[in-house]
Amino acid sequence: MKAKIITLSLGILASINILSAQETSRNFTPSENRHEIRLSMSDGLTLSSSNILGTGISDAILGTKRSKQKNTGVFGLGYRYSIKRFRVGADLGFARMTAETALNGEEKASIKENDLNFLVLPAGEYTYFRRGLVELYGSAAAGVNISRHSESPIGKTAGKNELAKPYTSVNFAYQVNPIAIRVGNDRIGGFVEAGLGHKGFVTAGLSLKF
């Protein structure tokens, strides 16, 4: 329910931004540099909730307990090609999540779980406003999440009989950031994006144009 409320709120704000952009179309200065490389870091909270860190229901049913849960966040690399107000490109993302698991009846964790995630997200963007050092835009991306799950015993023999075989899965992934700001010149700048998707709620990073 909270995710739906957040999505609806972001959608309303995005609509307001689009209408404002249409009314202030004169406040747009096209960039002379069409290519852009981005290095970013996202909180990864949405992605982690669908992997190891979000298995509360199955834990309750099976009686397992997880501890020392860690999420690296999503490290990202992106490319954009600019056509006036529009930009097209793709984002690559990498994230790792780990947790130690105690099976039903165990007092201490006997298994370490590890999830590696690789995101491939073709993306499109629309610039609402660009003037001076400030640029406001929104973006949407859809692609795949390639996830690799593996388990290892904690200690020499603990949990060996209960280990699941490593497996790889490919699932649909998306990211919608209706609210985003870039501050910088036509060469280098910093940006912050807010939205919802597999990268999480907030993304920040460095932008290089050429």
Side-chain angles (χ1 to χ4, degrees), residues 69-85:
Q69 300 172 341
K70 297 180 180 179
N71 169 25
T72 63
V74 180
F75 299 94
L77 172 65
Y79 169 78
R80 297 290 187 275
Y81 180 78
S82 177
I83 307 173
K84 295 184 178 180
R85 286 183 179 271

Side-chain angles (χ1 to χ4, degrees), residues 18-63:
I18 292 174
L19 292 174
S20 298
Q22 291 175 346
E23 293 178 357
T24 59
S25 59
R26 68 184 62 182
N27 292 326
F28 176 75
T29 305
S31 173
E32 295 182 0
N33 297 323
R34 293 193 172 186
H35 303 278
E36 182 179 357
I37 298 294
R38 295 178 182 175
L39 301 175
S40 65
M41 181 69 187
S42 307
D43 57 70
L45 295 177
T46 309
L47 181 62
S48 65
S49 67
S50 63
N51 288 283
I52 292 174
L53 308 188
T55 54
I57 296 177
S58 62
D59 287 348
I61 296 174
L62 300 175

Side-chain angles (χ1 to χ4, degrees), residues 81-88 125-127:
Y81 180 78
S82 177
I83 307 173
K84 295 184 178 180
R85 286 183 179 271
F86 295 92
R87 286 193 291 261
V88 295
E125 292 181 352
Y126 179 80
T127 303

Side-chain angles (χ1 to χ4, degrees), residues 1-13 178 195-196 201:
M1 181 61 70
K2 291 183 178 180
K4 291 182 179 179
I5 293 175
I6 292 174
T7 303
L8 178 60
S9 300
L10 292 173
I12 293 173
L13 289 173
L196 182 67
F201 298 104

